Amino acid sequence: MKDSPEDQIVNAILDAIAEQRLPAGTKLGEQALSDLFSCNRANVRRALASLAAQQVVELRPNRGAFVMTPSPKEARDIFQARRAIERTIARHASGQASADDIAFLRDNILEEAEARKAGDKPAELRASRQFHMRIAQIAGNLVLERFLSELTMRSTLILGLYSPTGSSSCAEDEHDRIVDALEAGDTENLVQLADEHLRHLEAGLNFDEPPAAPMSLQEQLMVPRRTPPAK
Amino acid sequence: MKDSPEDQIVNAILDAIAEQRLPAGTKLGEQALSDLFSCNRANVRRALASLAAQQVVELRPNRGAFVMTPSPKEARDIFQARRAIERTIARHASGQASADDIAFLRDNILEEAEARKAGDKPAELRASRQFHMRIAQIAGNLVLERFLSELTMRSTLILGLYSPTGSSSCAEDEHDRIVDALEAGDTENLVQLADEHLRHLEAGLNFDEPPAAPMSLQEQLMVPRRTPPAK
DNA sequence: TTGTCATTTATTGTTAACAATATTTGATAA
DNA sequence: TTATCAAATATTGTTAACAATAAATGACAA
């Protein structure tokens, strides 16, 4: 039941991006990756092609693969698309959540709050992402779920680039109220909350100062946890 | 400025699917493709990985690549997602169309009608798809445009599988009224029309009899392409 | 005929060597 | 020092051979 080398690479990179261990602009060298995952370069190349199709990696001919660096215009498009998709998801999820779903989400909120308190950014981002993705699962549309998965990934890159450290994540009381509305089946309110939640996140962005990006492949790709910025 | 072998292959296959020259289930052999595009198999494999990431090709380990065969459930998800996205696109496009845009769309409607009359299915599908994609361009959100591009592709596969030959495409008078609303900037009406348009398309599907699919790589892949560039 | 199974053939998957292209390094001169 | 440029190094891109797996073939027996 182990999956192909390509899938391993793709998933490891997606996870790393989702937890901001791999910042935008990081070079993804073929040699480095084939060493890390002990496979051949052909597998790495296929994985990178796949990631490029998902818009989380940029392929520059003869120069290699890099974690995508979203422009301000792309950031706008991505958040606009996210609102459209998450509103739809909210509509379809409303009233469909099982007791397990609600319990998971309530627990998730605590988890995220703890991670935030502990200053564990990757854990916080992971929890926050899980919150949004779980609601997408409740909605039961795999296409929208996949789209949202891609957009949350790219959102994380955007936050890493344009967020004045601190505003970089969801407000937990908003998550709380979202679960309340979801549980109550108050559809219109839920949709409205989801929309506002994303507007707040976007409002926290600052495009004034151009982003400075670290550029080397951080070996945190293999690390299960932890991110001391050091330096 | 010619693009890489991968891009060529990807675009040729996408075009072929969009025009129903490549039906669902068609096997995409590596040898056959590398012969057709006179490149090596490594390029073919990368292209197929990319197409798989876009969900238009299915990769079965040790068995090869096949044009994706959407299930009824996937069909439902895809049309639901399309409605959400095209409604949003309609909202953003409303009142933003230039004179050129309107002229293009009016002309496109005639083109589609002619193709239908002439029984030229690929031309009809191409025109219909261009109609939807042009409006997406007017809306100005590249993310939504890309999502819609993927969904129209998959919709074409669905129509090829589950459409009782005939209902398999858009009603032209609906396109007409959509352009009217777009030109008038009548946002709410436009959104409503777009939604109904897609519901009608979906309502024409029949999932009762399981689809029979031809399975060989049709050499229609090489048919000359006339896809005029955007704007 | 029809079904089974071993053999052959074709296809996908892996690997390593090589070529083409960037990038880095270090010497030289202003 | 600083700038320039050629050589050295590293990385990406291509190719062909080989291995592993699946599909097709055909002989044989009921």
Side-chain angles (χ1 to χ4, degrees), chain B residues 27 41 45 62:
Chain B
K27 162 133 198 184
R41 271 176 55 218
R45 289 180 130 246
N62 288 321

Side-chain angles (χ1 to χ4, degrees), chain B residues 2-218:
Chain B
K2 62 163 200 167
D3 45 14
S4 68
E6 282 98 310
D7 287 347
Q8 273 181 258
I9 299 173
V10 167
N11 290 326
I13 291 179
L14 288 179
D15 283 353
I17 289 175
E19 297 179 8
Q20 251 173 30
R21 302 196 313 268
L22 274 181
T26 307
K27 162 133 198 184
L28 301 169
E30 297 182 3
Q31 188 77 280
L33 288 170
S34 62
D35 287 351
L36 269 173
F37 294 90
S38 45
C39 63
N40 52 44
R41 271 176 55 218
N43 286 319
V44 172
R45 289 180 130 246
R46 248 154 66 102
L48 291 173
S50 186
L51 288 164
Q54 292 173 59
Q55 309 277 108
V56 296
V57 156
E58 193 187 346
L59 252 36
R60 300 183 212 162
N62 288 321
R63 292 158 142 248
F66 300 81
V67 177
M68 180 79 81
T69 300
S71 69
K73 151 75 169 150
E74 281 170 323
R76 188 191 130 268
D77 285 1
I78 286 165
F79 274 96
Q80 198 172 68
R82 258 193 89 162
R83 280 207 308 280
I85 285 166
E86 297 215 47
R87 284 175 63 107
T88 308
I89 283 172
R91 266 228 158 69
H92 289 109
S94 182
Q96 299 296 314
S98 70
D100 273 2
D101 291 327
I102 299 296
F104 177 95
L105 292 170
R106 298 260 184 234
D107 186 63
N108 175 279
I109 291 172
L110 296 178
E111 195 182 318
E112 186 188 341
E114 273 174 39
R116 184 175 323 188
K117 227 168 274 176
D120 186 348
K121 194 82 182 176
E124 184 188 344
L125 287 165
R126 182 170 54 244
S128 174
R129 183 161 188 274
Q130 272 177 357
F131 182 88
H132 289 259
M133 292 312 298
R134 178 69 174 228
I135 296 178
Q137 281 166 17
I138 295 167
N141 185 319
L142 284 172
V143 173
L144 292 176
E145 195 180 325
R146 216 183 94 252
F147 284 169
L148 182 59
S149 176
E150 177 185 318
L151 293 179
T152 55
M153 212 73 76
R154 297 170 76 186
S155 297
T156 304
L157 290 173
I158 292 166
L159 290 175
L161 283 169
Y162 305 112
S163 165
T165 56
S167 76
S168 54
S169 83
C170 305
E172 57 184 289
D173 60 316
E174 291 188 328
H175 278 194
D176 248 324
R177 273 175 293 172
I178 284 173
V179 178
D180 291 344
L182 177 66
E183 190 173 17
D186 186 350
T187 308
E188 290 314 311
N189 189 29
L190 178 60
V191 171
Q192 179 71 12
L193 286 170
D195 191 87
E196 284 170 8
H197 181 48
L198 291 170
R199 285 184 193 278
H200 291 161
L201 197 56
E202 189 178 2
L205 300 179
N206 171 23
F207 298 113
D208 291 341
E209 43 203 285
M215 291 291 172
S216 78
L217 206 193
Q218 300 174 320

Side-chain angles (χ1 to χ4, degrees), chain A residues 129-149:
Chain A
R129 183 161 188 274
Q130 270 176 359
F131 182 88
H132 289 259
M133 292 311 298
R134 178 70 174 229
I135 295 178
Q137 281 166 19
I138 295 166
N141 184 320
L142 283 173
V143 173
L144 292 175
E145 195 180 325
R146 216 183 96 252
F147 284 168
L148 182 60
S149 176

Side-chain angles (χ1 to χ4, degrees), chain A residues 27 30 41 45 62:
Chain A
K27 162 132 195 185
E30 296 181 4
R41 272 177 55 221
R45 290 182 128 245
N62 288 321

Side-chain angles (χ1 to χ4, degrees), chain A:
Chain A
M1 177 128 166
K2 63 166 196 163
D3 45 14
S4 69
E6 281 98 309
D7 287 347
Q8 272 181 259
I9 299 173
V10 167
N11 290 326
I13 291 180
L14 288 179
D15 282 354
I17 289 176
E19 297 179 9
Q20 251 173 31
R21 301 196 313 267
L22 274 180
T26 307
K27 162 132 195 185
L28 301 169
E30 296 181 4
Q31 189 77 279
L33 288 170
S34 61
D35 287 352
L36 267 173
F37 294 92
S38 45
C39 64
N40 51 43
R41 272 177 55 221
N43 286 319
V44 172
R45 290 182 128 245
R46 246 154 68 100
L48 291 173
S50 187
L51 289 164
Q54 291 172 62
Q55 308 279 109
V56 295
V57 156
E58 193 187 347
L59 253 36
R60 299 183 212 160
N62 288 321
R63 288 154 141 249
F66 300 81
V67 176
M68 181 77 82
T69 300
S71 67
K73 150 74 169 151
E74 281 170 322
R76 188 191 131 268
D77 285 1
I78 286 164
F79 274 97
Q80 198 172 66
R82 256 192 91 161
R83 279 207 308 280
I85 285 167
E86 296 214 47
R87 283 175 62 108
T88 308
I89 283 172
R91 244 208 186 88
H92 289 110
S94 180
Q96 298 297 315
S98 69
D100 273 1
D101 290 327
I102 299 297
F104 177 94
L105 291 169
R106 298 259 184 233
D107 186 64
N108 174 279
I109 292 171
L110 297 179
E111 195 182 317
E112 186 188 342
E114 273 174 39
R116 185 175 324 185
K117 228 167 275 176
D120 187 347
K121 194 83 183 178
E124 183 188 344
L125 287 165
R126 183 172 48 246
S128 174
R129 183 161 188 274
Q130 270 176 359
F131 182 88
H132 289 259
M133 292 311 298
R134 178 70 174 229
I135 295 178
Q137 281 166 19
I138 295 166
N141 184 320
L142 283 173
V143 173
L144 292 175
E145 195 180 325
R146 216 183 96 252
F147 284 168
L148 182 60
S149 176
E150 176 184 318
L151 292 179
T152 54
M153 213 72 77
R154 297 171 75 186
S155 297
T156 304
L157 290 174
I158 292 167
L159 290 176
L161 283 169
Y162 304 114
S163 166
T165 56
S167 77
S168 54
S169 84
C170 304
E172 58 183 289
D173 59 316
E174 291 187 330
H175 277 194
D176 248 323
R177 272 175 295 172
I178 285 172
V179 179
D180 290 344
L182 177 67
E183 190 173 17
D186 186 349
T187 308
E188 291 314 312
N189 190 29
L190 178 60
V191 171
Q192 179 71 13
L193 286 169
D195 191 88
E196 284 170 9
H197 180 49
L198 291 170
R199 284 185 193 277
H200 292 160
L201 197 56
E202 189 178 359
L205 300 180
N206 171 23
F207 298 113
D208 291 340
E209 43 201 284
M215 289 293 171
S216 77
L217 207 194
Q218 301 173 318
E219 305 313 319
Q220 299 153 331
L221 216 54
M222 302 308 281
V223 174
R225 295 291 246 77
R226 176 143 63 111
T227 317
K231 182 114 200 214

